[in-house]
Structures are given as C-alpha cells and as structure tokens.
Amino acid sequence: MTNSNPVSSNAYEYLDTVGPEEQARLAAVRRYRLVDQPVEDAYDRIAFVAGAIFDTPIATVSLVEQDRVWLAACQGLSGIREVGKEPGLCASVIAQDDVYVINNAAVDPRTLEHPLVRGELGLRFYAAAPIRTHDGYRLGTVNVIDNRPRDASKRQLTALEHLASMVSDELELRLMVIRSAAAEQRMRETVS
C-alpha cells in the first residue's frame, strides 16, 4: 500500500504489536502520507538550512516509523532514504520534547553501539529537535550530523527547534490538502 491510498481501519496490522500510545503516534505519522514519497522542496530546504546553521556535512528531516526512520529530506547523504530505528538517535529524540544533543557519540553511552557511530559514517556529533504536531505527537526530527565531535550554541539549538516547528506547519498544510482532495473526491462521487 502506498501513502496515496486512503487508509482503512485495518490497513496497518503491524500497529497491533505496539501499545495504544505508540499506535496513536504511528497513525499520526501515517496521516501526513509523507513516508515512502519523493523528497519535497519544502523539507529539502529546511534540511539545507539546518546544515548551514550548524555548518555540518549532513542534515535531515526524518519521520520515525515503527521499524525504521524515513528521511523525508537529506542533505549530504546521497541516495539514502531510510535508516534503522536503533535507539540513541532519532528514535530517542521522539521520546522527549527537548532538543537532543550528542557532542561526541564515540564516548556517549546513549550511542556507543549505534551502527551509524560504529560504522563507515563514523557519526560523532548529532543534534536534533523533535517535530511535534499541533495535537502533540512527536513524529520525527530535524537533525544535523557531523563525523567530528563538536558543541552547539544555544542560538543554533533554538534555530533547530524553529526549523522543526516549520516542518510541523508544512505537515499541517499537507494534511489540509489531503483532506480537501478527499472531500472533493467524495463530492464528485455523490454527484455522479
């Protein structure tokens, strides 16, 4: 099933294996129909600005699914659209409301075993702000990544929070378009 299809009440059986709170969060991720879709300019621009603010080689806008992290936009990693949901990075950010910072992932206990830290990428610095919907769900992150340890200023972290809020606003506009198109389709079906 692609995200362009309407969702029936039993379309996502995998939701049965998680608790009600996570079911609701995953349903919120799905309602925006952004996972498994091509990169959209708005999210790509936000990732670019995040990377420019921090002067990092990598910046992404991500959505956290049940078993993967979908990169709605990615600056600095060509051809990568999803990564695993191992704890310590994006999957950990959505468990809190605050900006999440790892200054040196090689020595931080939260990330020591993460494949992006131990693997070829050699992730060392990571800062992320959760993308929160207007009804309170944390869907993913706007994040920046570097392969060298570093610190972030309060101003940079505040900017990252603002970028995450901008993604949330974009998602709400997307949802209005989705709902408008569905209403128009229902109206056409009623008329014909």
Side-chain angles (χ1 to χ4, degrees), residues 8 21 23 32 68-69 73 109 121 123 148 155-156 184:
S8 68
E21 207 170 284
Q23 284 182 16
Y32 296 99
R68 64 186 171 141
V69 176
L121 180 64
L123 181 148
R148 63 181 179 87
R155 185 175 174 93
Q156 287 173 314
E184 183 179 329

Side-chain angles (χ1 to χ4, degrees), residues 17-92:
T17 63
V18 297
E21 207 170 284
E22 180 65 356
Q23 284 182 16
R25 191 195 72 77
L26 289 167
V29 169
R30 290 288 181 169
R31 75 180 169 206
Y32 296 99
R33 299 182 187 167
L34 190 58
V35 174
D36 295 324
Q37 297 300 312
V39 174
E40 294 184 15
D41 287 343
Y43 308 110
D44 208 33
R45 286 191 302 269
I46 288 170
F48 177 85
V49 170
I53 290 168
F54 282 81
D55 193 26
T56 58
I58 301 168
T60 76
V61 174
S62 71
L63 296 173
V64 179
E65 280 274 6
Q66 182 177 2
D67 58 357
R68 64 186 171 141
V69 176
W70 177 256
L71 304 180
C74 183
Q75 293 285 317
L77 289 175
S78 180
I80 297 177
R81 293 304 309 276
E82 67 180 64
V83 295
K85 191 184 165 186
E86 296 83 4
L89 299 178
C90 295
S92 295

Side-chain angles (χ1 to χ4, degrees), residues 142-162:
V142 174
N143 63 67
V144 292
I145 297 168
D146 201 343
N147 58 3
R148 63 181 179 87
R150 56 165 61 210
D151 292 316
S153 72
K154 174 114 176 90
R155 185 175 174 93
Q156 287 173 314
L157 297 175
T158 299
L160 201 58
E161 288 179 306
H162 286 303

Side-chain angles (χ1 to χ4, degrees), residues 59-144:
T60 76
V61 174
S62 71
L63 296 173
V64 179
E65 280 274 6
Q66 182 177 2
D67 58 357
R68 64 186 171 141
V69 176
W70 177 256
L71 304 180
C74 183
Q75 293 285 317
L77 289 175
S78 180
I80 297 177
R81 293 304 309 276
E82 67 180 64
V83 295
K85 191 184 165 186
E86 296 83 4
L89 299 178
C90 295
S92 295
V93 176
I94 64 163
Q96 63 181 39
D97 284 324
D98 300 324
V99 176
Y100 186 89
V101 179
I102 304 288
N103 294 316
N104 186 352
V107 297
D108 193 303
R110 298 173 290 180
T111 55
L112 284 174
E113 298 302 317
H114 198 285
L116 295 178
V117 174
R118 295 181 55 187
E120 186 178 324
L121 180 64
L123 181 148
R124 292 299 175 261
F125 172 77
Y126 175 85
I131 298 166
R132 289 183 294 273
T133 63
H134 296 296
D135 55 353
Y137 294 105
R138 292 179 298 265
L139 305 182
T141 70
V142 174
N143 63 67
V144 292

